[in-house]
Amino acid sequence: QVQLVESGGGLVQPGGSLRLSCATSGLTFSIYAMGWYRQAPGSQRELVASIYRDDSTHYADFVQGRFTISRDNAKKSVYLQMNSLKPEDTAVYFCNGLGATLPWGQGTQVTVSS
């Protein structure tokens, strides 16, 4: 049974940093391209960052230069380092395979506010 468990969210002031983690189980993690997604209240879920099997990465324009995605195949985990956070980054953050091919986890809430 595939499971995705996100963690690391919280309340942070504008300009602050957070590191999100996503632990996976029940899948051959190393063969998956993975992504971090987010969903703000009243908005659709959107792709934030992606990392491929060869560790190449891609970022949405609105996080380029501020967020860094990484993976650890031995730990079957993917991470999102978020720096210079803005209030508009407030959302629930989820990990999934690219194309959202896996069952969604519960996500982790990130709130950026002073």
Side-chain angles (χ1 to χ4, degrees):
Q1 182 179 0
V2 175
Q3 284 193 314
L4 307 175
V5 180
E6 300 91 348
S7 62
L11 173 63
V12 64
Q13 292 187 342
S17 298
L18 283 173
R19 185 175 188 252
L20 306 184
S21 299
C22 170
T24 75
S25 59
L27 71 160
T28 306
F29 177 79
S30 61
I31 70 172
Y32 280 85
M34 295 296 295
W36 279 98
Y37 301 75
R38 71 185 186 186
Q39 187 168 20
S43 299
Q44 290 190 335
R45 198 167 297 183
E46 59 186 357
L47 179 63
V48 173
S50 51
I51 185 165
Y52 298 85
R53 293 171 59 178
D54 63 355
D55 286 342
S56 60
T57 58
H58 183 268
Y59 298 92
D61 288 345
F62 50 81
V63 303
Q64 182 74 44
R66 300 189 297 124
F67 290 10
T68 303
I69 188 171
S70 61
R71 66 189 298 160
D72 185 332
N73 288 339
K75 295 182 178 180
K76 297 187 175 182
S77 295
V78 60
Y79 308 96
L80 187 68
Q81 177 66 43
M82 306 188 296
N83 299 328
S84 303
L85 283 161
K86 305 176 181 180
E88 51 264 43
D89 294 319
T90 295
V92 180
Y93 284 71
F94 303 85
C95 67
N96 207 311
L98 276 192
T101 55
L102 303 171
W104 291 100
Q106 82 288 349
T108 186
Q109 175 71 48
V110 172
T111 303
V112 185
S113 175
S114 54

Short mmCIF file of all heavy atoms in Angstrom, two decimals, residues 19-56:
data_model
loop_
_atom_site.label_atom_id
_atom_site.label_comp_id
_atom_site.label_asym_id
_atom_site.label_seq_id
_atom_site.Cartn_x
_atom_site.Cartn_y
_atom_site.Cartn_z
N ARG A 19 11.76 23.65 6.17
CA ARG A 19 12.15 22.48 5.37
C ARG A 19 11.08 21.42 5.51
O ARG A 19 10.83 20.91 6.61
CB ARG A 19 13.50 21.93 5.82
CG ARG A 19 14.02 20.79 4.93
CD ARG A 19 15.41 20.38 5.36
NE ARG A 19 16.04 19.42 4.46
CZ ARG A 19 16.24 18.14 4.74
NH1 ARG A 19 15.82 17.67 5.91
NH2 ARG A 19 16.82 17.35 3.86
N LEU A 20 10.45 21.10 4.41
CA LEU A 20 9.42 20.07 4.39
C LEU A 20 10.03 18.73 4.02
O LEU A 20 10.97 18.65 3.23
CB LEU A 20 8.33 20.42 3.39
CG LEU A 20 7.68 21.79 3.53
CD1 LEU A 20 6.56 21.94 2.50
CD2 LEU A 20 7.18 22.03 4.93
N SER A 21 9.46 17.68 4.59
CA SER A 21 9.88 16.31 4.29
C SER A 21 8.67 15.50 3.85
O SER A 21 7.56 15.73 4.30
CB SER A 21 10.50 15.66 5.51
OG SER A 21 11.65 16.35 5.95
N CYS A 22 8.93 14.54 2.98
CA CYS A 22 7.89 13.61 2.54
C CYS A 22 8.49 12.22 2.57
O CYS A 22 9.40 11.91 1.80
CB CYS A 22 7.42 13.96 1.14
SG CYS A 22 6.34 12.71 0.40
N ALA A 23 7.99 11.41 3.48
CA ALA A 23 8.42 10.02 3.58
C ALA A 23 7.44 9.14 2.82
O ALA A 23 6.22 9.28 2.97
CB ALA A 23 8.47 9.60 5.04
N THR A 24 7.97 8.26 2.00
CA THR A 24 7.10 7.39 1.20
C THR A 24 7.31 5.94 1.59
O THR A 24 8.35 5.55 2.13
CB THR A 24 7.38 7.55 -0.31
OG1 THR A 24 8.61 6.89 -0.64
CG2 THR A 24 7.46 9.01 -0.70
N SER A 25 6.31 5.14 1.31
CA SER A 25 6.41 3.70 1.52
C SER A 25 5.50 3.00 0.52
O SER A 25 4.57 3.60 -0.01
CB SER A 25 6.02 3.32 2.95
OG SER A 25 4.70 3.70 3.24
N GLY A 26 5.83 1.74 0.25
CA GLY A 26 4.98 0.95 -0.64
C GLY A 26 5.22 1.18 -2.11
O GLY A 26 4.40 0.74 -2.94
N LEU A 27 6.32 1.81 -2.48
CA LEU A 27 6.62 2.04 -3.88
C LEU A 27 8.12 1.98 -4.11
O LEU A 27 8.90 2.13 -3.18
CB LEU A 27 6.08 3.39 -4.35
CG LEU A 27 6.76 4.67 -3.87
CD1 LEU A 27 6.43 5.83 -4.80
CD2 LEU A 27 6.34 5.01 -2.46
N THR A 28 8.49 1.73 -5.37
CA THR A 28 9.90 1.75 -5.75
C THR A 28 10.26 3.21 -6.01
O THR A 28 10.22 3.69 -7.15
CB THR A 28 10.13 0.88 -6.99
OG1 THR A 28 9.61 -0.44 -6.75
CG2 THR A 28 11.62 0.78 -7.30
N PHE A 29 10.62 3.88 -4.94
CA PHE A 29 10.75 5.34 -4.95
C PHE A 29 11.72 5.82 -6.02
O PHE A 29 11.46 6.82 -6.69
CB PHE A 29 11.21 5.80 -3.57
CG PHE A 29 11.44 7.27 -3.46
CD1 PHE A 29 10.37 8.14 -3.30
CD2 PHE A 29 12.73 7.80 -3.51
CE1 PHE A 29 10.57 9.51 -3.19
CE2 PHE A 29 12.94 9.16 -3.40
CZ PHE A 29 11.86 10.02 -3.24
N SER A 30 12.82 5.13 -6.19
CA SER A 30 13.90 5.63 -7.05
C SER A 30 13.48 5.79 -8.50
O SER A 30 14.11 6.55 -9.25
CB SER A 30 15.11 4.72 -6.95
OG SER A 30 14.78 3.42 -7.39
N ILE A 31 12.42 5.13 -8.94
CA ILE A 31 12.04 5.21 -10.35
C ILE A 31 11.05 6.34 -10.62
O ILE A 31 10.73 6.63 -11.77
CB ILE A 31 11.44 3.88 -10.86
CG1 ILE A 31 10.07 3.62 -10.24
CG2 ILE A 31 12.40 2.73 -10.61
CD1 ILE A 31 9.35 2.43 -10.87
N TYR A 32 10.60 7.00 -9.55
CA TYR A 32 9.59 8.04 -9.69
C TYR A 32 10.20 9.43 -9.80
O TYR A 32 11.10 9.79 -9.03
CB TYR A 32 8.64 8.03 -8.49
CG TYR A 32 7.57 6.98 -8.55
CD1 TYR A 32 7.83 5.68 -8.11
CD2 TYR A 32 6.31 7.26 -9.06
CE1 TYR A 32 6.85 4.70 -8.17
CE2 TYR A 32 5.33 6.30 -9.13
CZ TYR A 32 5.60 5.02 -8.68
OH TYR A 32 4.63 4.05 -8.74
N ALA A 33 9.68 10.21 -10.74
CA ALA A 33 9.86 11.65 -10.68
C ALA A 33 8.86 12.15 -9.65
O ALA A 33 7.69 11.75 -9.66
CB ALA A 33 9.59 12.29 -12.03
N MET A 34 9.32 13.00 -8.74
CA MET A 34 8.48 13.45 -7.63
C MET A 34 8.27 14.94 -7.69
O MET A 34 9.09 15.70 -8.23
CB MET A 34 9.14 13.08 -6.30
CG MET A 34 9.28 11.59 -6.05
SD MET A 34 7.68 10.75 -5.91
CE MET A 34 7.04 11.50 -4.40
N GLY A 35 7.18 15.36 -7.09
CA GLY A 35 6.88 16.79 -7.05
C GLY A 35 6.32 17.21 -5.71
O GLY A 35 5.78 16.40 -4.97
N TRP A 36 6.50 18.48 -5.42
CA TRP A 36 5.80 19.14 -4.31
C TRP A 36 4.71 20.02 -4.92
O TRP A 36 4.96 20.76 -5.88
CB TRP A 36 6.76 19.99 -3.49
CG TRP A 36 7.55 19.20 -2.50
CD1 TRP A 36 8.82 18.74 -2.64
CD2 TRP A 36 7.12 18.79 -1.20
NE1 TRP A 36 9.21 18.06 -1.52
CE2 TRP A 36 8.19 18.07 -0.62
CE3 TRP A 36 5.95 18.94 -0.46
CZ2 TRP A 36 8.11 17.51 0.67
CZ3 TRP A 36 5.87 18.39 0.80
CH2 TRP A 36 6.94 17.68 1.35
N TYR A 37 3.53 19.91 -4.34
CA TYR A 37 2.38 20.67 -4.77
C TYR A 37 1.89 21.50 -3.58
O TYR A 37 2.21 21.19 -2.43
CB TYR A 37 1.25 19.73 -5.21
CG TYR A 37 1.61 18.79 -6.33
CD1 TYR A 37 2.41 17.68 -6.11
CD2 TYR A 37 1.12 19.00 -7.62
CE1 TYR A 37 2.73 16.80 -7.14
CE2 TYR A 37 1.42 18.14 -8.65
CZ TYR A 37 2.22 17.04 -8.40
OH TYR A 37 2.54 16.17 -9.43
N ARG A 38 1.06 22.49 -3.86
CA ARG A 38 0.45 23.23 -2.77
C ARG A 38 -0.96 23.63 -3.16
O ARG A 38 -1.28 23.78 -4.34
CB ARG A 38 1.29 24.44 -2.38
CG ARG A 38 1.28 25.58 -3.38
CD ARG A 38 2.23 26.67 -2.93
NE ARG A 38 2.16 27.86 -3.78
CZ ARG A 38 2.97 28.90 -3.67
NH1 ARG A 38 3.92 28.91 -2.74
NH2 ARG A 38 2.82 29.95 -4.47
N GLN A 39 -1.77 23.82 -2.13
CA GLN A 39 -3.14 24.27 -2.35
C GLN A 39 -3.50 25.28 -1.28
O GLN A 39 -3.51 24.98 -0.09
CB GLN A 39 -4.11 23.08 -2.29
CG GLN A 39 -5.53 23.45 -2.67
CD GLN A 39 -6.40 22.24 -2.90
OE1 GLN A 39 -6.11 21.13 -2.46
NE2 GLN A 39 -7.50 22.43 -3.63
N ALA A 40 -3.77 26.49 -1.74
CA ALA A 40 -4.22 27.56 -0.86
C ALA A 40 -5.74 27.55 -0.80
O ALA A 40 -6.40 27.05 -1.72
CB ALA A 40 -3.71 28.91 -1.37
N PRO A 41 -6.32 28.10 0.27
CA PRO A 41 -7.78 28.13 0.38
C PRO A 41 -8.42 28.79 -0.83
O PRO A 41 -7.99 29.87 -1.26
CB PRO A 41 -8.02 28.95 1.65
CG PRO A 41 -6.77 28.76 2.45
CD PRO A 41 -5.66 28.68 1.45
N GLY A 42 -9.42 28.11 -1.40
CA GLY A 42 -10.12 28.67 -2.54
C GLY A 42 -9.40 28.56 -3.85
O GLY A 42 -9.87 29.09 -4.87
N SER A 43 -8.25 27.89 -3.86
CA SER A 43 -7.45 27.78 -5.08
C SER A 43 -7.25 26.32 -5.46
O SER A 43 -7.40 25.42 -4.63
CB SER A 43 -6.08 28.44 -4.88
OG SER A 43 -6.22 29.81 -4.60
N GLN A 44 -6.88 26.11 -6.71
CA GLN A 44 -6.57 24.76 -7.15
C GLN A 44 -5.18 24.35 -6.69
O GLN A 44 -4.32 25.19 -6.46
CB GLN A 44 -6.66 24.69 -8.68
CG GLN A 44 -8.08 24.80 -9.22
CD GLN A 44 -8.15 24.49 -10.71
OE1 GLN A 44 -7.16 24.65 -11.42
NE2 GLN A 44 -9.30 24.05 -11.18
N ARG A 45 -4.98 23.06 -6.60
CA ARG A 45 -3.66 22.55 -6.26
C ARG A 45 -2.72 22.83 -7.42
O ARG A 45 -3.09 22.67 -8.59
CB ARG A 45 -3.76 21.04 -6.00
CG ARG A 45 -2.60 20.47 -5.24
CD ARG A 45 -2.92 19.07 -4.76
NE ARG A 45 -4.04 19.07 -3.82
CZ ARG A 45 -4.49 17.97 -3.21
NH1 ARG A 45 -3.92 16.80 -3.44
NH2 ARG A 45 -5.50 18.04 -2.38
N GLU A 46 -1.49 23.27 -7.10
CA GLU A 46 -0.54 23.62 -8.14
C GLU A 46 0.81 22.99 -7.86
O GLU A 46 1.19 22.78 -6.70
CB GLU A 46 -0.39 25.15 -8.24
CG GLU A 46 0.07 25.83 -6.98
CD GLU A 46 0.05 27.35 -7.08
OE1 GLU A 46 -0.26 27.89 -8.16
OE2 GLU A 46 0.37 28.01 -6.07
N LEU A 47 1.53 22.72 -8.94
CA LEU A 47 2.86 22.14 -8.82
C LEU A 47 3.87 23.23 -8.49
O LEU A 47 3.93 24.26 -9.16
CB LEU A 47 3.24 21.44 -10.13
CG LEU A 47 4.61 20.78 -10.18
CD1 LEU A 47 4.72 19.65 -9.17
CD2 LEU A 47 4.88 20.26 -11.60
N VAL A 48 4.66 22.98 -7.47
CA VAL A 48 5.65 23.95 -7.00
C VAL A 48 7.05 23.62 -7.52
O VAL A 48 7.76 24.49 -8.01
CB VAL A 48 5.66 23.99 -5.46
CG1 VAL A 48 6.79 24.86 -4.95
CG2 VAL A 48 4.32 24.45 -4.93
N ALA A 49 7.44 22.36 -7.39
CA ALA A 49 8.78 21.95 -7.76
C ALA A 49 8.77 20.46 -8.09
O ALA A 49 7.94 19.72 -7.58
CB ALA A 49 9.77 22.22 -6.63
N SER A 50 9.68 20.05 -8.94
CA SER A 50 9.76 18.64 -9.32
C SER A 50 11.22 18.21 -9.40
O SER A 50 12.11 19.02 -9.68
CB SER A 50 9.04 18.39 -10.64
OG SER A 50 9.47 19.29 -11.63
N ILE A 51 11.44 16.91 -9.16
CA ILE A 51 12.78 16.34 -9.24
C ILE A 51 12.68 15.00 -9.95
O ILE A 51 11.80 14.18 -9.65
CB ILE A 51 13.43 16.23 -7.85
CG1 ILE A 51 14.89 15.76 -7.96
CG2 ILE A 51 12.62 15.34 -6.91
CD1 ILE A 51 15.69 15.98 -6.69
N TYR A 52 13.59 14.78 -10.86
CA TYR A 52 13.54 13.61 -11.72
C TYR A 52 14.51 12.55 -11.24
O TYR A 52 15.26 12.72 -10.28
CB TYR A 52 13.80 14.04 -13.16
CG TYR A 52 12.75 14.99 -13.66
CD1 TYR A 52 12.85 16.36 -13.42
CD2 TYR A 52 11.62 14.53 -14.34
CE1 TYR A 52 11.86 17.23 -13.84
CE2 TYR A 52 10.64 15.40 -14.76
CZ TYR A 52 10.76 16.74 -14.51
OH TYR A 52 9.77 17.60 -14.92
N ARG A 53 14.49 11.40 -11.92
CA ARG A 53 15.32 10.27 -11.52
C ARG A 53 16.80 10.62 -11.55
O ARG A 53 17.59 10.08 -10.78
CB ARG A 53 15.03 9.08 -12.42
CG ARG A 53 13.64 8.52 -12.25
CD ARG A 53 13.32 7.49 -13.31
NE ARG A 53 14.25 6.36 -13.30
CZ ARG A 53 14.16 5.32 -14.11
NH1 ARG A 53 13.18 5.26 -14.99
NH2 ARG A 53 15.03 4.34 -14.04
N ASP A 54 17.17 11.52 -12.45
CA ASP A 54 18.59 11.90 -12.56
C ASP A 54 18.93 13.09 -11.68
O ASP A 54 19.99 13.69 -11.84
CB ASP A 54 18.93 12.21 -14.02
CG ASP A 54 18.16 13.40 -14.56
OD1 ASP A 54 17.29 13.93 -13.85
OD2 ASP A 54 18.43 13.80 -15.72
N ASP A 55 18.02 13.46 -10.77
CA ASP A 55 18.18 14.58 -9.84
C ASP A 55 18.07 15.94 -10.50
O ASP A 55 18.33 16.96 -9.86
CB ASP A 55 19.50 14.50 -9.06
CG ASP A 55 19.46 13.42 -7.99
OD1 ASP A 55 18.35 12.99 -7.62
OD2 ASP A 55 20.53 12.99 -7.54
N SER A 56 17.70 15.98 -11.76
CA SER A 56 17.42 17.28 -12.36
C SER A 56 16.13 17.83 -11.74
O SER A 56 15.27 17.06 -11.30
CB SER A 56 17.30 17.17 -13.87
OG SER A 56 16.24 16.29 -14.23
#
